[in-house]
Amino acid sequence: MSKKKGADGKDEEKIVLEYMETQNRPFSVQNIVDALQKENIKKAAVERALASCLAAETVVAKEYGKAKVYMCSQSGIELPSPEEMAEMDANISTLGARLKELDAEAQEIMALNQALKVELTEEQAAEKVAENEKLIATMQEKLEKLGDGSNLISREEMEKIELKLFKAKAEWKKRKRLANDVVDQISEGMNKKPKLLAQEIGLELDEEIGVSIDNLPAASDPTKKRKPLGRPPLPVIARAL
C-alpha cells in the first residue's frame, strides 16, 4: 500500500514528523491540522500519520482526561556533558549582558531620535538663517540712517518738544470742547442737529477730515515732578536721656 503524498510530494507521515521535530513541543491533533493547512493534509491523514509514528516509537502520546497530547520522542536526543552545559551557561550569561548593553544603546538612540524630531531640518535652518540675515540687513540700514549719534537731541530738547506736544493737545481739546458747546447751543435754538448745522456753516469736524487726537503720541507735562514710589521715611523720635 503506497503512502499518500502532501502538497510538495512528501508522504504525510514524514511531513507531520518533520514539523513536530522542528517545533519540538506538545501538540493536539487539531494543532497539527491547523499548522499544516498549506500542505493540504486533513485530520484523518494526521491521525494516520501519528498512529504510524507511535508504532515506530518516533512519537509518544500522553492522555490528560479526554485530551491526548503528542510530542516527539526524546530518547534519541543526545544530552550535553557537564562541561558543555557550563559553557552554554557562560555563553548565556555573556549574551544576556550584551543584550542589556544593546538595550541601553537602543534607548539612547530612541531618545536622540525624539530630540532630532523637534530640531530644524537643514532646509528649515537655511530658511531661518536667510530670514535672520534679511532682518539684520534691514536693522543695519535703519541704524546707518540714525548716524553715529552726534545728531541726537538732548534730554532738555526732548522735554521741550514733549511740553509743546502736551500744550498743543490740551489746546486742541479745549477748542474742540468750546466749538462743540457753541454748535450745540445754536443747533438747540434752531431745532437742528449739531452735525447738520456744522455742515451748513462750513465747520469741519475731525472725523470728517480723518484726524483724531488719539492718533498723536502720548504726552505728559514734563515740568511736573513725579512723586517717588515706596514707603515714606519713618519719623525720627528722639529719646529723652
Side-chain angles (χ1 to χ4, degrees):
M1 181 178 179
S2 61
K3 295 182 179 180
K4 292 186 177 181
K5 304 292 183 179
D8 59 355
K10 294 182 179 179
D11 63 77
E12 295 166 343
E13 180 181 338
K14 187 175 181 181
I15 294 173
V16 172
L17 183 59
E18 284 181 354
Y19 176 73
M20 293 181 69
E21 287 176 344
T22 302
Q23 300 298 317
N24 195 25
R25 65 180 180 83
F27 290 97
S28 66
V29 173
Q30 191 59 46
N31 292 150
I32 300 173
V33 173
D34 294 341
L36 298 178
Q37 284 184 356
K38 63 180 180 180
E39 301 291 345
N40 196 26
I41 299 178
K42 305 300 181 184
K43 185 175 182 179
V46 172
E47 290 175 341
R48 286 195 303 270
L50 289 173
S52 177
C53 291
L54 286 171
E57 297 183 351
T58 53
V59 170
V60 296
K62 299 288 184 180
E63 293 187 8
Y64 300 94
K66 295 182 179 180
K68 184 179 285 189
V69 177
Y70 300 86
M71 66 191 74
C72 292
S73 175
Q74 308 295 306
S75 58
I77 298 177
E78 183 179 354
L79 297 177
S81 64
E83 292 78 10
E84 291 173 333
M85 286 292 293
E87 183 180 352
M88 285 189 288
D89 288 341
N91 191 30
I92 291 173
S93 178
T94 302
L95 292 175
R98 179 56 180 159
L99 179 60
K100 289 182 179 180
E101 292 177 0
L102 292 174
D103 185 62
E105 291 177 6
Q107 293 295 330
E108 291 180 3
I109 293 173
M110 289 175 63
L112 178 60
N113 185 40
Q114 287 297 115
L116 290 175
K117 284 182 179 180
V118 298
E119 294 290 335
L120 296 177
T121 63
E122 291 185 3
E123 292 78 7
Q124 290 172 334
E127 291 177 1
K128 197 67 176 177
V129 169
E131 180 182 341
N132 288 336
E133 288 177 346
K134 184 178 180 181
L135 178 61
I136 290 172
T138 302
M139 298 304 292
Q140 186 68 33
E141 184 179 353
K142 290 182 178 179
L143 184 61
E144 290 175 356
K145 289 180 179 179
L146 290 175
D148 58 359
S150 59
N151 59 344
L152 298 179
I153 62 177
S154 64
R155 184 178 185 85
E156 290 76 13
E157 291 175 329
M158 278 292 297
E159 289 181 353
K160 289 180 181 179
I161 294 172
E162 186 177 6
L163 180 59
K164 277 187 177 181
L165 178 61
F166 172 76
K167 290 181 176 180
K169 292 179 69 174
E171 189 66 21
W172 185 343
K173 290 179 181 179
K174 177 182 176 182
R175 295 188 181 189
K176 183 175 182 179
R177 183 175 63 254
L178 291 174
N180 287 336
D181 291 343
V182 171
V183 171
D184 289 342
Q185 291 177 8
I186 297 175
S187 63
E188 185 177 353
M190 297 178 64
N191 197 20
K192 287 187 177 182
K193 292 184 179 180
K195 189 174 182 180
L196 181 59
L197 177 61
Q199 290 177 352
E200 290 180 355
I201 63 177
L203 182 64
E204 292 182 339
L205 302 178
D206 294 348
E207 296 77 11
E208 293 178 352
I209 60 175
V211 296
S212 173
I213 194 171
D214 296 330
N215 295 334
L216 294 178
S220 58
D221 189 353
T223 61
K224 292 184 178 180
K225 294 183 179 180
R226 296 180 176 89
K227 294 182 179 180
L229 299 178
R231 296 173 59 184
L234 295 176
V236 179
I237 301 176
R239 177 180 294 180
L241 298 177

